[in-house]
Amino acid sequence: MARSGSGLLVPVNGLGYPPQNLARVVVWEWLNEHGRWRPYSAAVCHHIENVLKGDARGTVVLGQVDAQLSPYVIDLQSMHQFRQDTGTMRPVQRNFYEPSSAPGKGVVWEWENDNGSWTPYDMEICVTIQNAYEKQHPWLDLTSLGFCYLIDFNSMSQTNRQSQRKRRLRRRMDLAYPLIMGSIPKSQSWPVGASSGQPCSCQQCILVNSTRAASNAILASQRRKVYGGTAGNSGAAGTLTVVRQSNTFAGTSLWSPTSTSSGTNNNNISVGGGQAKAEQVQLPQSTANFPCSPVMPSLSSAHPHHALTINGQNNLNRPGTQRISMGTARGAIPPGVPALPVKNLTGSGPVHPALAGLPVCLTRAPKPILHPPPINKSDMKPVPGINGMRRKTKKKHLRRGKNPEDVVRRYTEKIKVAPDEDCTICMERLLMSSGYEGVLQHKGVKPELVGKLGKCGHMYHLLCLVAMYNNGNKDGSLQCPTCKTIYGEKTGTQPPGKMEYHVIPHCLPGYPDCKTIRIVYDIPAGIQTNEHPNPGKKFSARGFPRHCYLPDNEKGRKVLKLLITAWDRRLIFTIGTSSTTGESDTVVWNEIHHKTEFGSNLTGHGYPDPNYLDNVLTELSAQGVGEDNLKD
């Protein structure tokens, strides 16, 4: 059945949150490596809230409610999610939404990936889609939220406006997220580094995280009731004219300032095109001051009557049209972040500047320089001090014949008298039996036995260590959940592929005195094995071959040697869910940063970055690939 009506551009009622003492829906989210907050399921959020009521500084074992999350625990005191088998830590936060929004009703919007399974949208996207759906809009353009997708509710499809590829989407009902009453605390989130307790200092992470922080600041600011207040002089208050766009999608034109005259001293802002019905909202005149007047010459002080027309795009929840002032967003950017226009992750064009929180620039954003100029094969030289130019990997099962009990006993010694402290795996006291008693049974490993790891001295139930090992790669190695010390040789689950490396006669920004090492990774699609999330199911491999770059100097060659070791141990990639596209069962990076921009650093994945080589050495060391692995 066709849906009539038009895309809502700027909502004119409900512009701010209601009073702070009303009910709110709680959604717990974790931060992925690209700075996006991904929501836990409603069942998991209910479980977290129940634990939070009992002990606000306790630990949440996610495997108790979702078997697929058995390796994960959340430490409520530090607000981090910890994966016990790999040692990976990620920040979490407790976010709040209106009871009438999608999470409050248990509505989940999902898109179909290449494997035929369904991937949920981020919660803020889900809320936006549900809002448009309830208002009977026939379509929704997600460009203003940083995605070049057009949602068609009539055909229930998502179209990539760049490639014109269509995917199915669906709306399903699930358990509603938990509801709380009373005053709403500030968002509980402290994103710190995984090992040192300090934020990652590489420009890649700083740019990604600060852009997200600025976006959150803008989204929060537009929810406050800033439109209904007085400006001191009621005669100076302007009028915000909101125009609903026609049903026809009008293309991708950017803002186009025009000048009009009026009988009153008002700032009239119209949004949309075609025939429309105007609705009026009082707006303090101070909010109509744009910080970058050179790109809007008609909005000068010489003209008391201004009009700004935004044509061609569905501006639903567009922050720039609801709150013009950019001071809050710019203030959220840490020092050292380059003030550049930010592009959509899909590369389809500039994101609205308010979303990124960077200086307003209405011109097309510069494109990143991903690759060097064309190079003849004869100009590709071997890297000095490294034999060969290629590595291949096949499916390996190192030490798979070892029993879990044998591995645990190899790295631990039994404790006769256990101390009165918690086992940080099951969160039971060491004086008591393991929390895995009755869940896991192994001959020779009694649930009350306690062991101490040889290097670091941390103590756990032996049965808990066996359970942690069974949840991991079963490669004969252990990693201490507390201090991340690795026992044995840690290997990963990287699919088969090849790695090439050579020197090219070009310089990286910041390294004018040396040539460049180019690394080319190539992994084909295939079938998952028992070590992967869904054995027997196909996995995709997007974006291969992937090109990465290092300076051809002493430290760059050291990093390359360690990356080769990490490749041989299958630690560079893994199979999981893409943080950028949301696609599941696909090849993704595995916690080791790479630089994929050759001649620019617009996205943070390029040069110059003076801290990158030191940071990647630290990341490699955290995976058990340290300088002691270098062979002369």
Side-chain angles (χ1 to χ4, degrees):
M1 178 178 178
R3 298 166 64 90
S4 61
S6 61
L8 178 63
L9 302 184
V10 181
V12 295
N13 49 6
L15 286 174
Y17 273 169
Q20 287 283 307
N21 59 352
L22 295 184
R24 288 292 185 276
V25 173
V26 179
V27 177
W28 284 82
E29 301 168 316
W30 57 275
L31 186 68
N32 66 23
E33 60 269 27
H34 294 278
R36 294 201 65 83
W37 289 101
R38 298 288 296 164
Y40 293 100
S41 68
V44 171
C45 290
H46 278 280
H47 177 58
I48 299 174
E49 285 294 306
N50 289 334
V51 176
L52 182 67
K53 292 176 183 177
D55 184 3
R57 295 179 176 270
T59 300
V60 185
V61 182
L62 300 185
Q64 293 178 351
V65 68
D66 188 342
Q68 293 184 341
L69 300 180
S70 58
Y72 298 97
V73 297
I74 292 178
D75 178 25
L76 295 176
Q77 183 172 0
S78 64
M79 292 294 283
H80 273 78
Q81 169 192 279
F82 173 65
R83 178 165 179 161
Q84 300 175 80
D85 55 343
T86 65
T88 302
M89 297 179 67
R90 297 185 183 277
V92 299
Q93 74 172 6
R94 187 173 182 237
N95 213 345
F96 304 95
Y97 293 87
E98 295 282 356
S100 59
S101 63
K105 298 177 178 180
V107 176
V108 180
W109 284 89
E110 300 172 318
W111 56 274
E112 186 179 30
N113 59 37
D114 292 340
N115 297 321
S117 56
W118 295 90
T119 302
Y121 288 92
D122 289 357
M123 187 56 69
E124 64 180 40
I125 305 296
C126 180
V127 169
T128 302
I129 295 176
Q130 177 65 17
N131 183 42
Y133 179 84
E134 291 177 349
K135 295 180 183 300
Q136 297 289 313
H137 301 306
W139 49 263
L140 171 66
D141 184 9
L142 297 180
T143 302
S144 62
L145 294 180
F147 300 90
C148 75
Y149 294 112
L150 184 68
I151 302 297
D152 187 339
F153 292 112
N154 291 325
S155 61
M156 289 297 283
S157 64
Q158 165 192 285
T159 303
N160 187 315
R161 292 175 51 202
Q162 183 179 14
S163 66
Q164 296 303 310
R165 182 176 183 179
K166 283 190 176 183
R167 295 180 183 272
R168 291 195 301 164
L169 76 152
R170 72 177 184 182
R171 175 182 180 269
R172 67 177 180 85
M173 299 303 297
D174 200 349
L175 179 68
Y177 280 79
L179 188 70
I180 65 170
M181 300 292 293
S183 60
I184 304 303
K186 294 181 179 179
S187 178
Q188 299 172 352
S189 172
W190 299 273
V192 299
S195 58
S196 64
Q198 298 296 326
C200 178
S201 60
C202 75
Q203 293 186 12
Q204 176 175 338
C205 287
I206 290 176
L207 181 59
V208 170
N209 291 331
S210 64
T211 300
R212 181 61 182 172
S215 175
N216 286 340
I218 285 293
L219 293 174
S221 68
Q222 71 184 24
R223 291 165 179 159
R224 302 190 186 102
K225 287 188 175 181
V226 297
Y227 297 96
T230 59
N233 183 359
S234 59
T239 301
L240 173 62
T241 304
V242 180
V243 183
R244 299 182 182 274
Q245 193 174 4
S246 64
N247 293 348
T248 305
F249 179 68
T252 59
S253 60
L254 294 174
W255 291 10
S256 57
T258 58
S259 179
T260 62
S261 60
S262 175
T264 60
N265 185 17
N266 291 334
N267 291 293
N268 298 318
I269 303 178
S270 64
V271 184
Q275 295 181 352
K277 179 180 178 181
E279 299 179 8
Q280 306 266 327
V281 178
Q282 289 300 313
L283 172 71
Q285 185 162 358
S286 60
T287 62
N289 296 327
F290 289 82
C292 290
S293 57
V295 297
M296 297 182 180
S298 65
L299 297 179
S300 63
S301 59
H303 299 82
H305 316 290
H306 304 310
L308 174 64
T309 304
I310 304 177
N311 293 314
Q313 295 203 19
N314 179 356
N315 295 280
L316 179 65
N317 290 335
R318 178 185 292 274
T321 60
Q322 297 187 32
R323 184 171 175 86
I324 306 300
S325 175
M326 298 296 299
T328 303
R330 290 201 301 272
I333 305 173
V337 178
L340 295 172
V342 175
K343 286 195 68 176
N344 189 328
L345 290 176
T346 59
S348 64
V351 178
H352 189 285
L355 275 176
L358 301 177
V360 174
C361 176
L362 301 184
T363 60
R364 180 171 294 277
K367 294 182 178 180
I369 303 173
L370 300 179
H371 303 290
I375 302 168
N376 295 326
K377 194 170 184 179
S378 59
D379 293 331
M380 302 178 191
K381 305 297 182 183
V383 180
I386 299 179
N387 296 327
M389 300 174 67
R390 177 181 296 184
R391 308 284 287 193
K392 288 186 177 181
T393 58
K394 297 181 179 180
K395 186 170 61 177
K396 296 181 180 179
H397 297 278
L398 302 177
R399 295 185 291 278
R400 290 295 193 270
K402 298 293 183 180
N403 292 325
E405 298 93 331
D406 296 335
V407 175
V408 170
R409 288 194 180 98
R410 182 188 309 154
Y411 302 120
T412 60
E413 58 182 75
K414 290 183 180 179
I415 299 298
K416 294 182 179 180
V417 180
D420 186 16
E421 59 185 50
D422 286 339
C423 169
T424 58
I425 297 178
C426 69
M427 302 313 298
E428 297 288 346
R429 306 297 287 179
L430 290 174
L431 295 173
M432 307 296 290
S433 296
S434 167
Y436 286 91
E437 182 181 14
V439 179
L440 190 66
Q441 293 182 354
H442 278 267
K443 294 181 180 180
V445 181
K446 297 180 180 179
E448 65 271 11
L449 291 179
V450 175
K452 179 174 71 174
L453 291 171
K455 294 180 183 178
C456 62
H458 290 112
M459 288 177 281
Y460 308 93
H461 292 114
L462 292 181
L463 189 61
C464 291
L465 290 174
V466 170
M468 185 182 73
Y469 180 82
N470 283 333
N471 282 329
N473 198 26
K474 304 181 183 68
D475 59 358
S477 70
L478 277 180
Q479 185 169 18
C480 176
T482 301
C483 65
K484 321 300 183 300
T485 300
I486 295 175
Y487 295 82
E489 183 179 290
K490 179 182 177 181
T491 61
T493 60
Q494 176 179 288
K498 64 180 180 180
M499 171 187 184
E500 297 180 357
Y501 38 89
H502 46 257
V503 176
I504 58 177
H506 297 287
C507 301
L508 290 168
Y511 296 93
D513 300 327
C514 61
K515 297 180 181 179
T516 298
I517 298 171
R518 179 167 61 182
I519 306 171
V520 182
Y521 296 110
D522 197 4
I523 296 178
I527 305 295
Q528 299 181 56
T529 62
N530 291 333
E531 62 187 359
H532 295 133
N534 298 298
K537 192 175 181 180
K538 292 182 179 180
F539 68 85
S540 61
R542 309 292 181 194
F544 288 95
R546 299 187 185 183
H547 293 228
C548 309
Y549 303 95
L550 293 168
D552 183 26
N553 56 19
E554 182 179 356
K555 185 175 284 189
R557 294 178 201 132
K558 178 193 294 186
V559 170
L560 176 61
K561 291 179 181 179
L562 295 176
L563 287 175
I564 293 173
T565 301
W567 172 268
D568 291 340
R569 296 182 185 178
R570 306 168 66 214
L571 295 168
I572 302 293
F573 296 96
T574 188
I575 294 177
T577 301
S578 171
S579 300
T580 53
T581 66
E583 180 182 8
S584 58
D585 299 306
T586 190
V587 180
V588 295
W589 294 105
N590 187 35
E591 307 296 334
I592 300 176
H593 282 85
H594 283 68
K595 294 296 188 180
T596 54
E597 282 187 64
F598 172 78
S600 61
N601 195 18
L602 297 183
T603 64
H605 297 276
Y607 295 92
D609 185 348
N611 298 318
Y612 169 67
L613 296 179
D614 291 327
N615 288 337
V616 76
L617 286 173
T618 302
E619 292 171 346
L620 285 162
S621 179
Q623 298 286 348
V625 184
E627 295 189 24
D628 54 336
N629 297 111
L630 294 175
K631 298 178 181 179
D632 296 330

